[in-house]
Amino acid sequence: LNEMNSVDLAELLEQFPQENMVVLFRLIAKETAAEVFTNMNTEMQQALISTFTEKELKDIFEDMFLDDTVDILEEMPANVVERILDVTDKETRSRINELLQYPQDSAGSIMTVEYVSLRPAMTVNEAFTRIRRTAIDKETIYTCYVTDAANKLLGCVSAKTLMISSPETKISDIMDENVIYAHTEDDREDVARKISNYGFLALPVVDNERRLVGIVTVDDAMDVIQEENTEDIA
C-alpha cells in the first residue's frame, strides 16, 4: 500500500466495504495518510473520522494543507466540524474561520494561505535559506511572492530564476513586477480560467489594499473547472 500513489490508493480504498477500508487505512504510513484522506470522497472521509481517536484526528489534520481542511469542513455535518475544530490549535482554527467566511463561489473560498513570501532586499542566498526553513509547510514553492513590510504584493520570482541567479543577487533585481493576480471576491471560475489560460501553477490573491492573503493552486483550479463543467452538462 505504501508504494502506491496517494490518489490511486484513495480510489482503491473506496472500493472496499467501510469496515475493511478502515483497517486498510490504518496500515498506511503516517506521512502519506493525510494526502490519501484528502483524495477520498466525503462519505469515506466521514466514515473514517467516526473511527478516529482524538489523536488520530489531530495527526491527520495537522498534516493537511489548510485549503483542503476547509474543503472537507464545508462538506461535513456540524457535529463532525465541531470535533475537527476542537483538535486544531488556536491559530489554525482562526485561519480556518477566516477562509470559511468568504463567499462559496469566490477566490477566497478556494485559496490556501500556505505560500512562500520573500522581501525585495533579500539576496538569492537568503531566499533559499527562507525556502528551506519554511517549504515543508507550503503547498507550492515553484513561485515565490515578493511583499513589503505591510504584506503588499510587489512581484514574484520563480524557483528557476532563483536557481540560475548568483547567490548575492537582490530579489528586487530579478523579480517580475508585472504580476497577474486575483481579488478575494473574484468569481472562482474566472480565477480558474485565468490559471488555465496563462498556464500558471498558482495565482496570488490579494485584498482591496493589494495585500497578499493567499494563492490559488492549479489543482484547485482544475477541481473548479471540473465542477462547473459537470454543473453545465447537468
Side-chain angles (χ1 to χ4, degrees), residues 4-227:
M4 292 181 66
N5 178 278
S6 58
V7 175
D8 296 332
L9 187 49
E11 289 181 359
L12 173 66
L13 294 186
E14 287 173 354
Q15 297 175 32
F16 287 88
Q18 285 189 12
E19 61 271 20
N20 295 342
M21 181 269 293
V22 170
V23 173
L24 290 170
F25 186 85
R26 291 181 187 277
L27 297 175
I28 301 169
K30 182 180 179 294
E31 56 268 20
T32 58
E35 193 171 350
V36 174
F37 183 85
T38 300
N39 285 291
M40 299 180 81
N41 65 45
T42 302
E43 184 183 349
M44 292 301 186
Q45 288 173 340
Q46 193 170 341
L48 281 170
I49 289 173
S50 69
T51 69
F52 285 161
T53 64
E54 299 308 301
K55 184 181 184 306
E56 288 173 326
L57 192 63
K58 187 174 187 291
D59 289 343
I60 286 289
F61 280 89
E62 274 186 349
D63 290 342
M64 204 178 295
F65 291 117
L66 207 61
D67 59 329
D68 292 329
T69 300
V70 171
D71 289 342
I72 290 170
L73 289 175
E74 288 178 333
E75 299 296 328
M76 292 292 163
N79 62 317
V80 176
V81 171
E82 186 176 351
R83 189 168 170 230
I84 294 169
L85 292 177
D86 282 344
V87 299
T88 59
D89 60 74
K90 184 178 179 181
E91 181 184 352
T92 303
R93 193 158 54 246
S94 174
R95 292 162 78 188
I96 287 172
N97 287 329
E98 284 178 18
L99 293 177
L100 286 171
Q101 288 174 7
Y102 289 109
Q104 190 173 0
D105 291 330
S106 69
S109 71
I110 60 169
M111 72 180 183
T112 178
V113 296
E114 291 145 335
Y115 57 86
V116 176
S117 64
L118 305 173
R119 292 284 186 262
M122 281 181 173
T123 64
V124 168
N125 196 40
E126 289 170 337
F128 276 125
T129 299
R130 180 175 175 81
I131 292 168
R132 290 189 193 100
R133 190 175 67 248
T134 63
I136 193 169
D137 297 321
K138 308 304 178 187
E139 189 156 351
T140 179
I141 60 169
Y142 303 114
T143 302
C144 301
Y145 301 95
V146 186
T147 58
D148 64 13
N151 214 38
K152 286 191 176 181
L153 181 63
L154 303 176
C156 63
V157 59
S158 68
K160 178 182 178 181
T161 300
L162 289 172
M163 285 188 282
I164 63 176
S165 301
S166 64
E168 299 310 314
T169 303
K170 295 282 188 184
I171 296 300
S172 57
D173 294 333
I174 57 173
M175 71 181 188
D176 182 2
E177 296 181 47
N178 185 27
V179 188
I180 296 171
Y181 56 86
H183 288 92
T184 53
E185 303 296 329
D186 287 353
D187 186 280
R188 66 178 191 168
E189 190 175 354
D190 294 338
V191 172
R193 287 207 181 98
K194 190 177 287 187
I195 291 173
S196 175
N197 291 342
Y198 287 103
F200 290 152
L201 293 174
L203 186 74
V205 181
V206 301
D207 63 14
N208 292 331
E209 296 179 16
R210 200 176 161 169
R211 289 178 300 206
L212 183 61
V213 291
I215 62 172
V216 175
T217 53
V218 65
D219 57 323
D220 291 321
M222 289 173 62
D223 288 342
V224 169
I225 291 172
Q226 185 177 13
E227 286 174 19

